[in-house]
Every structure is written in structure tokens, then in C-alpha cells.
């Protein structure tokens, strides 16, 4: 790192940067991020068509000018992380201590559940089916035909690209290293602006630029979290009507949201070592039970064959898929959309990863986030989506017809209904999705609260406030139908533009920090 910057690194205490309100809350960041969030929700209530038009225009501009940059950024983040893990820097211990805060199982569970989120359930069912019925251009150009086994394998491979190595790496591999060094060893606050300190120094820590950086990152995460919360209300309400005959009304959706907000807010308030761990553990146990059941009582042979074959295609076509630019229209609404979504989560997810990863080595951190978690995620997509593809190949239309119109919950329930004990499995998947979203809600409530206070132990009142605000925004947006949440989902990609610039310096600051720590820890 720049030696002059290191020498003058300010020992920032909670609430030191910017003006503070009550117990060290950063008022400028709070007002900017909270104000824009509220304005978006109110504008959507006033005229959703107007808001959708604005967002779609901004979305198209963002993907046109930044799509290729995002593809390069994710690819380099993944590759540089692997080099750091493989070399002598892999043995560097992070966080200024060799004592870990939580057990390895809990550490893996929290990271898996937080980063995979509720999207990993409905998208796992829907995305492979979408690519199966309409092969991605990269594979269509190679002669893959809809409705064939080869279309099923390529559909899974494309899904792996969107939820695999690159998506995970951007959420905390290099940025996790930067945060853990600057926060735990240099005393800088756990705020997104800290990622820019090695480049801009005190200017970003104390001036208005820092507030804008933090607010942009908070806004991206609020949008990225409110979206799944709102969609969960719509999706679970759809499932309850289909399974139990409960009317799919706005009242039902709001009741679901109230229960969800209560669950994840309580979890966030109880902290890393209680509620967040308990929810994550329950999530992992239920997910493993469902995986095991489907693996043994579902289309076992197809699941195993398609996972191996599709993963092989994924590895073989990894660089061509990662750098694909031949069809901008398709790319914007698939790969670039996902990259914008994950980029938006990047800084705050890295903060959360840093908070729970003290005492871990760079090798442990990078291998879990960039390799192990993606491999498990791809297997999960094969279990859920692969089963749907098997049923569709055997009986055309059984999954694709309910999925018509991109109906994500219908695709999931169509798959679970084909399994033995279909009703019970469907109910358990709805519960699993709810817990998945709750684990994202509690961790992101905690992370946003860390940004507001600059400390890794934010006050209870701040956590409660943001937990309730995100739930209230979701309730407001779904009151105008799914269009409100869809507009917010597209808005995530717009917010990813400034956030991606915040993440960029980690490409060179993380290796520099890793080498410096290797010297300090006498690793040769």
C-alpha cells in the first residue's frame, strides 16, 4: 500500500466520519440512502409506469456503457483471488488475530445462506427451464436445439455461469481481504468508503465523497434486498393459494411480509452469534434434507449425469461465456443483469464477510467464496432445476406450461408436485425460501447498520429501523403489483454503476495488502 497513506491512517471511531445523529449514526449517509429509497417507493405508488420508464431507460444506458466493464471486473476478481490463494499469500491470517469467532461449519453456513439468498430457490427452478425452452445465443449458435438433452445440459451450464465462480467471487474474496486489513489492523471503519482509502486517502474518509460512496452502496443493497423480500410475499402467497386455497390477495402478501420482517429483524437484533447463526443452521439443515430426498427419490440418474456433464460444459466454455458480447439484447437481461445485481451487493456483503471471518487465512476465504460455495450452488441448481428438466424431457409441457410468462413460483411448485410426497415437499420448499430470504434480510440489515455507525456492533435501534424500513418498502411496492418490484430489480442494475467503481481498486490493493501481510507474518 501507499506508505504515506499508511502512516497517516486515521484511527476512526464509530460516528467520527460525517455528522452524527444520536449514537453515532452517520446522518448524511442516512439521509441520502433513506431519502432516495423513500422517494422511489412514493414515486412508484404515484405512477408506476412513469417510474418503470425512467428505470428502463437508465437500465439500458447502464448495461450499454458498463456491461463489458462488469464482465472484465468479475473475471479479474476471480482470477486474482485464485492466484492469492494458491501462492504464499494464501497462508496469510486475516483480521489481526489467529482466533476465529465462530466454528467452521457455522462460518460456511452463514456465508452460503447469506449469499445464495432466496433467489437461489426460485431461480434454481426457473432459470434452467428458461434456457431450456429458449437456448442462450452462445449455445444456439453451436446448434443446440430446444427440447433435447443437449439443451438441458447447456441450460444448466448457462445457469452455472450466472450463479457460479464469478458471481460469488465479487461478493467478498478480494474486498474481504481489504476490509479485514484496513478495519481490524488499521482502525478504519467498516464502511464502503474504506475500500477507496488506499487510493484516495483521507479525502474519501472525511469529505462528502465518502458519504456519497456509502449512500450509493447502501442504496444498492436496500434495492437488492427489498426486491427479494417483495417477491417472497408474491411467491409465497401464490404458493399458499395453490396448496391451501388461501386467497392470493394483497392482505395475504402483507401478512407474509410482516412475519418475514419480524423474523429477520429479530435475528439481526440478536446478532451474529445468536439469531443469524440459528437461522443459517436451520436453513442448511432443511436444504440438505431436501437435497437428499430429491437425490434419492427424484430423477437420480439424470441429476448425477447432468451435473457432471453440465459442469464439464461450464468449465470448457467458461471464458467464452464470461466474455460473450455477441448478443447485447439477450446479454443485458441475463448475464449483465445478474452481474449488476451481485455487484450491488459487493461492498456490504464483503463487510459482512469480514465481520465473521477473523482468524481465517486468505486461502480459506478465497476457496470458500470462489470455489466451494459455487460448486455447492451449481449442485443445488442441478437438484432443483435439473429435476425440472428431467420431468420436462419425459413429459413435455409439465413444467414449461406452468412456467409460461416467466412465472417463477409456478415453475418451482410444478417441479415439487412431480416428486413423491409432492405436497409436503412443496410446503417445505416455501419454508426454505422464506428462511433463505430471512438470512439475507438479517445479514443485510446488520451490514447496513454497520455502514450507518462505522462499527461492527451497530446499535439495536439502528438494526430495527432498517429491518422495518426494507419490509415497509416491499409492502408499498407490491401494492402496485409485481411491476413495482420489477422496476426495483432493474433499478439494482443502475445502482451497480457507482458501486462497481468502488470495487475496482481491490484488484490491485488486495494483492498489495496480501504481500505486505505475508512479509509481516514471515511467510516465505
Amino acid at each position: 500500500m501507499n506508505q504515506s497513506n499508511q502512516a497517516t491512517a486515521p484511527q476512526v471511531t464509530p460516528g467520527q466520519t460525517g455528522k452524527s445523529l444520536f449514537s453515532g449514526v452517520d446522518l448524511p449517509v442516512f439521509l441520502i440512502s433513506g431519502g432516495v429509497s423513500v422517494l422511489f417507493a412514493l414515486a412508484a405508488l404515484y405512477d408506476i409506469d412513469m417510474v418503470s420508464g425512467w428505470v428502463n431507460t437508465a437500465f439500458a444506458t447502464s448495461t450499454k456503457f458498463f456491461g463489458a466493464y462488469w464482465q472484465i471486473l468479475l473475471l479479474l476478481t476471480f482470477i486474482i483471488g485464485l492466484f492469492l490463494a494458491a501462492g504464499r499469500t494464501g497462508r496469510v491470517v486475516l483480521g489481526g488475530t489467529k482466533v476465529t469467532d465462530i466454528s467452521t461449519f457455522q462460518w460456511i453456513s452463514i456465508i452460503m445462506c447469506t449469499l445464495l439468498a432466496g433467489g437461489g430457490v426460485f431461480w434454481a427452478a426457473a432459470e434452467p427451464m428458461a434456457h431450456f425452452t429458449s437456448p442462450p445465443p452462445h449455445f444456439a449458435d453451436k446448434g443446440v436445439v430446444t427440447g433435447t438433452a443437449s439443451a438441458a445440459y447447456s441450460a444448466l451450464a448457462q445457469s452455472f455461469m450466472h450463479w457460479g465462480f464469478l458471481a460469488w467471487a465479487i461478493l467478498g474474496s478480494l474486498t474481504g481481504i481489504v476490509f479485514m486489513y484496513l478495519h481490524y489492523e488499521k482502525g478504519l471503519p467498516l464502511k464502503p468508503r474504506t475500500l477507496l482509502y488506499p487510493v484516495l486517502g483521507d479525502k474519501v474518509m472525511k469529505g462528502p465523497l465518502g458519504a456519497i460512496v456509502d449512500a450509493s452502496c447502501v442504496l444498492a443493497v436496500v434495492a437488492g434486498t427489498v426486491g427479494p423480500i417483495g417477491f417472497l410475499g408474491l411467491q409465497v402467497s401464490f404458493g399458499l393459494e395453490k396448496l391451501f386455497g388461501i386467497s392470493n390477495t394483497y392482505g395475504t402478501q402483507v401478512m407474509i411480509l410482516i412475519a418475514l420482517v419480524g423474523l429477520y429483524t429479530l435475528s439481526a437484533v440478536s446478532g451474529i452469534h445468536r439469531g443469524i447463526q440459528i437461522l443459517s443452521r436451520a436453513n442448511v439443515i432443511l436444504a440438505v434434507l431436501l437435497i437428499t430426498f430429491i437425490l434419492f427419490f427424484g430423477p437420480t440418474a439424470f441429476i448425477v449425469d447432468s451435473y457432471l456433464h453440465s459442469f464439464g460444459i461450464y468449465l470448457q466454455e467458461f471464458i467464452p461465456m464470461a466474455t460473450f458480447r455477441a448478443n447485447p439484447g439477450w446479454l443485458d437481461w441475463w448475464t449483465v443483469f445478474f452481474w449488476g445485481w451481485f455487484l450491488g451487493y459487493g461492498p456490504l456483503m464483503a463487510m459482512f464477510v469480514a465481520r465473521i471471518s477473523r482468524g481465517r487465512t486468505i486461502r480459506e476465504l478465497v476457496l470458500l467464496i470462489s470455489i466451494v460455495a459455487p460448486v455447492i450452488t451449481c449442485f443445488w441448481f442441478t437438484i432443483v432445476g435439473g429435476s425440472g428438466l428431467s420431468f420436462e424431457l419425459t413429459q413435455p409441457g409439465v413444467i414449461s406450461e406452468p412456467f409460461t410468462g416467466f412465472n417463477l413460483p409456478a415453475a418451482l411448485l410444478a417441479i415439487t408436485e412431480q416428486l413423491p410426497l409432492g405436497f409436503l415437499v412443496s410446503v417445505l420448499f416455501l419454508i426454505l425460501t422464506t428462511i433463505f430470504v430471512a438470512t439475507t434480510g438479517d445479514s443485510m440489515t446488520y451490514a447496513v447498520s454497520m455502514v450507518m455507525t462505522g462499527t461492527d456492533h451497530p446499535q439495536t435501534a439502528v438494526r430495527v429501523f432498517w429491518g422495518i424500513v426494507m419490509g415497509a418498502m416491499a409492502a408499498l411496492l407490491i401494492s402496485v403489483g409485481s411491476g413495482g418490484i420489477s422496476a426495483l430489480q432493474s433499478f439494482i442494475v443502475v445502482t451497480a454503476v457507482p458501486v462497481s467503481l468502488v470495487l475496482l481498486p481491490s484488484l490491485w490493493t488486495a494483492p498489495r495488502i496480501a504481500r505486505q501481510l505475508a512479509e509481516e507474518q514471515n511467510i516465505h
Side-chain angles (χ1 to χ4, degrees):
M1 291 182 58
N2 183 288
Q3 294 301 316
S4 62
N5 277 353
Q6 276 193 61
T8 59
Q11 300 298 307
V12 182
T13 55
Q16 181 178 324
T17 55
K19 298 178 181 179
S20 60
L21 177 67
F22 301 113
S23 303
V25 174
D26 194 320
L27 185 56
V29 176
F30 173 80
L31 291 177
I32 296 170
S33 56
V36 173
S37 299
V38 171
L39 284 175
F40 184 93
L42 293 177
L45 285 176
Y46 174 71
D47 189 340
I48 184 58
D49 293 330
M50 175 189 69
V51 171
S52 295
W54 289 348
V55 169
N56 287 338
T57 300
F59 176 93
T61 303
S62 301
T63 56
K64 178 180 179 181
F65 291 104
F66 289 88
Y69 157 61
W70 291 348
Q71 289 176 268
I72 295 170
L73 176 61
L74 267 74
L75 191 57
L76 288 178
T77 299
F78 173 64
I79 293 171
I80 292 171
L82 292 187
F83 273 106
L84 294 181
R88 69 186 180 102
T89 51
R91 289 183 282 148
V92 166
V93 179
L94 297 166
T97 177
K98 292 186 177 181
V99 179
T100 57
D101 287 346
I102 55 180
S103 70
T104 299
F105 175 77
Q106 285 299 332
W107 181 57
I108 294 172
S109 298
I110 293 174
I111 287 179
M112 283 295 306
C113 296
T114 299
L115 306 194
L116 186 55
V121 179
F122 285 108
W123 281 104
E127 184 173 350
M129 185 55 56
H131 297 320
F132 176 76
T133 56
S134 179
H138 175 73
F139 292 103
D141 293 344
K142 291 177 176 291
V144 172
V145 179
T146 300
T148 61
S150 61
Y153 298 141
S154 63
L156 284 171
Q158 187 67 59
S159 301
F160 295 170
M161 169 53 64
H162 293 156
W163 294 83
F165 300 131
L166 302 185
W168 277 88
I170 201 66
L171 295 174
S173 55
L174 299 184
T175 45
I177 295 170
V178 177
F179 268 128
M180 293 180 78
Y181 174 72
L182 292 177
H183 177 65
Y184 291 112
E185 300 197 35
K186 293 299 177 182
L188 295 177
L190 269 180
K191 291 173 174 255
R193 69 179 73 178
T194 297
L195 291 173
L196 296 178
Y197 177 76
V199 178
L200 300 176
D202 291 346
K203 185 190 304 182
V204 76
M205 300 308 299
K206 296 179 179 179
L209 177 61
I212 294 171
V213 168
D214 288 350
S216 297
C217 295
V218 168
L219 191 61
V221 161
V222 169
T225 305
V226 168
I229 291 171
F231 267 127
L232 183 83
L234 298 172
Q235 292 162 342
V236 173
S237 182
F238 175 91
L240 291 177
E241 181 176 54
K242 187 170 179 60
L243 296 172
F244 298 100
I246 299 173
S247 298
N248 183 9
T249 63
Y250 180 64
T252 303
Q253 294 159 8
V254 169
M255 292 303 295
I256 294 166
L257 292 184
I258 290 173
L260 176 66
V261 170
L263 178 63
Y264 73 68
T265 302
L266 182 63
S267 176
V269 166
S270 63
I272 300 285
H273 298 285
R274 295 185 63 189
I276 293 175
Q277 280 198 39
I278 291 170
L279 266 185
S280 299
R281 186 187 300 120
N283 205 347
V284 168
I285 291 171
L286 180 54
V288 169
L289 287 174
L290 286 170
I291 283 174
T292 304
F293 178 81
I294 297 174
L295 189 58
F296 283 100
F297 296 99
T300 306
F302 184 86
I303 289 172
V304 173
D305 291 346
S306 61
Y307 180 64
L308 292 174
H309 192 78
S310 299
F311 206 85
I313 295 173
Y314 174 41
L315 295 178
Q316 181 181 348
E317 300 291 328
F318 180 74
I319 296 298
M321 281 195 288
T323 58
F324 180 79
R325 296 293 304 167
N327 190 319
W330 180 91
L331 197 67
D332 287 354
W333 287 104
W334 281 106
T335 307
V336 173
F337 168 78
F338 279 120
W339 287 177
W341 198 2
F342 295 129
L343 281 165
Y345 273 107
L348 266 69
M349 202 67 84
M351 286 168 46
F352 189 75
V353 167
R355 173 65 183 82
I356 65 174
S357 301
R358 293 190 74 184
R360 305 288 174 181
T361 65
I362 286 178
R363 186 166 295 142
E364 288 177 298
L365 184 71
V366 171
L367 286 181
L368 174 60
I369 293 178
S370 298
I371 301 295
V372 175
V375 169
I376 294 173
T377 301
C378 292
F379 186 63
W380 170 256
F381 265 67
T382 310
I383 287 285
V384 181
S387 295
L389 294 173
S390 176
F391 298 141
E392 181 72 17
L393 284 168
T394 304
Q395 187 180 346
V398 68
I399 310 297
S400 59
E401 287 183 9
F403 178 58
T404 301
F406 222 80
N407 192 329
L408 272 66
L412 175 64
L413 294 178
I415 293 170
T416 55
E417 286 173 352
Q418 301 302 313
L419 296 163
L421 304 176
F423 179 82
L424 176 61
V425 174
S426 299
V427 172
L428 290 176
F429 261 100
L430 289 181
I431 294 173
L432 178 68
T433 308
T434 303
I435 301 176
F436 256 127
V437 175
T439 56
T440 300
D442 61 16
S443 56
M444 289 302 95
T445 296
Y446 198 97
V448 169
S449 301
M450 286 195 293
V451 178
M452 294 296 145
T453 60
T455 172
D456 51 7
H457 294 284
Q459 300 90 318
T460 297
V462 179
R463 300 183 220 179
V464 171
F465 173 82
W466 279 104
I468 293 174
V469 162
M470 288 194 287
M473 274 191 67
L476 284 173
L477 288 172
I478 64 173
S479 70
V480 296
S482 59
I485 297 295
S486 296
L488 185 64
Q489 295 283 65
S490 297
F491 185 59
I492 297 169
V493 176
V494 180
T495 62
V497 171
V499 175
S500 65
L501 299 176
V502 176
L503 297 173
L504 179 62
S506 65
L507 294 179
W508 59 88
T509 56
R512 198 181 305 167
I513 287 170
R515 288 194 298 269
Q516 179 179 322
L517 288 174
E519 294 295 331
E520 293 176 1
Q521 297 177 17
N522 294 316
I523 298 171
H524 300 290

